[in-house]
Amino acid sequence: MPYIIAFDFGTGAGKCVLFDEKGAIVGVKYTELSYIPCPFGAKGGLVFDADAFFGLFCRLSRDCIAESGINPAGIIAVAAASQRQGMVFTDETGSELYSAPCVDLRGEAALPALLPQAAEIKKITGIEPHGMFGLARLLWFQTHQPALLKKVHRVMMLSDWIAYRLSGNIATEQSAAASSQLFDVNTRRWSSAIIERFGFPAGIFPEVLTTGTQSGTVSHSVAQTSGLPVGIPVFSGGGDTHAALTGMGAVAPDTLCAVAGTTTPVMLTVAQPLSIPHTDTNCHVANGLWSLEANVKFSGISIRWLRDRIGHQDDGSPFVHMAEEAKKIPIGA
């Protein structure tokens, strides 16, 4: 039987999931993630060690395959989804210069330069200026680390980066790139208007792929460390929230869903890029669709904080246990 393996680089956790050809889950491995303060001294800055994190995903893959008991030769494809807004910069050799999660807020220092242009920025990118997006981050580097910025050869979102590490090929996927605030959600391409206005080199932004397009094949070195078969196709995945919409069947206009994770985005699938106050407009992974987003913010991470404070049963499923306990409390209590 053929199998597909998927990585999910979430904000609070990393996962590797093995599926059979009918979409049934055959194996899952999960680990919680933490980040380190920015070595450049950026206020609100958080980063991660790229080699260590990719090694972690390779270990999850090995363990998931081993514990499932399947023949690894049956795995025919791999893809990755990730938290949105997180970014990686690489140099000409392909080495990571900067790797950071969505919660790297160094860009807040650049907001005074962006807010006077907020309406035009939102019209193009679908997003109002915020310190967590790529536009503000690049402006931070432009001001505080110009020497590092000059070394940047490619800019990737985190799902793009996993695909790059798996295959050695660099490209970006539309739903992930749309969370950078450097992307034109109307044309589904990098925004030349934004890139030129703020003086960024156009060449650092890679080719844009439609979700589900093959971006490369698993390299020999990665196969040795991950347990994946060498040469299997690597497909572009995308933003985790939009991948979740697809998993829930929200691939038709006027479908409303909430995706509960570290935060809880409330998403409305639409047939055209609308601009509505207090919502973000994103490219859906389903080509030809967009989404409007409002967000409950740090919901899942708050539950994890509570779990760590009150303790939990050693049954391997503390969140399930907490949910069962919560069911006993009357609504409105």
Side-chain angles (χ1 to χ4, degrees):
M1 176 181 290
Y3 301 93
I4 297 168
I5 204 158
F7 295 105
D8 178 19
F9 187 166
T11 308
K15 294 188 286 294
C16 178
V17 186
L18 183 66
F19 299 91
D20 67 18
E21 62 182 343
K22 296 181 179 179
I25 295 174
V26 177
V28 179
K29 294 299 292 184
Y30 165 98
T31 187
E32 293 181 0
L33 303 174
S34 60
Y35 305 104
I36 54 179
C38 173
F40 308 133
K43 182 180 179 181
L46 291 172
V47 295
F48 61 87
D49 182 307
D51 288 335
F53 266 46
F54 187 69
L56 180 152
F57 281 106
C58 287
R59 177 174 58 80
L60 291 178
S61 173
R62 287 197 313 271
D63 293 348
C64 186
I65 295 168
E67 292 182 16
S68 72
I70 70 158
N71 182 348
I75 300 172
I76 61 170
V78 58
S82 73
Q83 54 177 282
R84 297 168 297 163
Q85 298 96 32
M87 302 182 83
V88 172
F89 303 164
T90 55
D91 63 16
E92 283 190 326
T93 70
S95 298
E96 290 85 355
L97 295 168
Y98 160 79
S99 48
C102 62
V103 287
D104 176 23
L105 297 178
R106 75 189 61 226
E108 289 188 348
L111 287 182
L114 296 176
L115 291 177
Q117 306 174 69
E120 183 64 18
I121 291 170
K122 180 174 172 59
K123 182 179 178 181
I124 296 170
T125 68
I127 305 167
E128 295 180 0
H130 191 287
M132 75 183 340
F133 295 107
L135 173 56
R137 294 185 195 208
L138 282 171
L139 287 175
W140 185 93
F141 278 98
Q142 204 175 62
T143 301
H144 298 281
Q145 290 284 322
L148 185 145
L149 188 57
K150 287 181 180 178
K151 296 178 183 177
V152 174
H153 182 63
R154 289 288 185 271
V155 169
M156 287 173 271
M157 311 311 288
L158 295 186
S159 53
D160 304 332
W161 170 71
I162 294 178
Y164 157 65
R165 276 295 199 123
L166 289 168
S167 69
N169 295 333
I170 297 178
T172 196
E173 180 277 339
Q174 57 190 358
S175 70
S179 72
S180 69
Q181 205 165 54
L182 296 154
F183 200 75
D184 189 328
V185 295
N186 305 283
T187 63
R188 295 180 181 260
R189 289 290 179 266
W190 295 110
S191 171
S192 57
I194 296 290
I195 291 165
E196 291 171 7
R197 179 179 306 180
F198 293 98
F200 305 133
I204 66 177
F205 301 100
E207 174 190 7
V208 179
L209 299 179
T210 302
T211 316
T213 303
Q214 183 175 340
S215 60
T217 58
V218 171
S219 68
H220 188 270
S221 60
V222 168
Q224 289 182 314
T225 56
S226 67
L228 296 169
V230 66
I232 63 169
V234 177
F235 290 94
S236 61
D240 53 4
T241 298
H242 292 88
L245 291 181
T246 303
M248 292 190 287
V251 290
D254 304 321
T255 308
L256 183 67
C257 292
V259 182
T262 299
T263 66
T264 300
V266 180
M267 314 288 283
L268 176 66
T269 302
V270 292
Q272 57 185 331
L274 305 175
S275 183
I276 296 177
H278 311 300
T279 65
D280 292 341
T281 303
N282 304 116
C283 296
H284 201 307
V285 293
N287 208 24
L289 292 176
W290 287 261
S291 66
L292 294 179
E293 174 179 352
N295 202 305
V296 183
K297 305 300 182 185
F298 293 111
S299 48
I301 205 166
S302 300
I303 296 172
R304 192 169 91 177
W305 176 89
L306 180 62
R307 177 204 67 184
D308 294 342
R309 295 304 178 277
I310 66 174
H312 54 81
Q313 293 181 344
D314 294 326
D315 61 358
S317 55
F319 293 114
V320 172
H321 172 69
M322 290 172 68
E324 291 300 320
E325 291 296 303
K327 286 179 183 179
K328 301 174 185 177
I329 308 301
I331 292 173

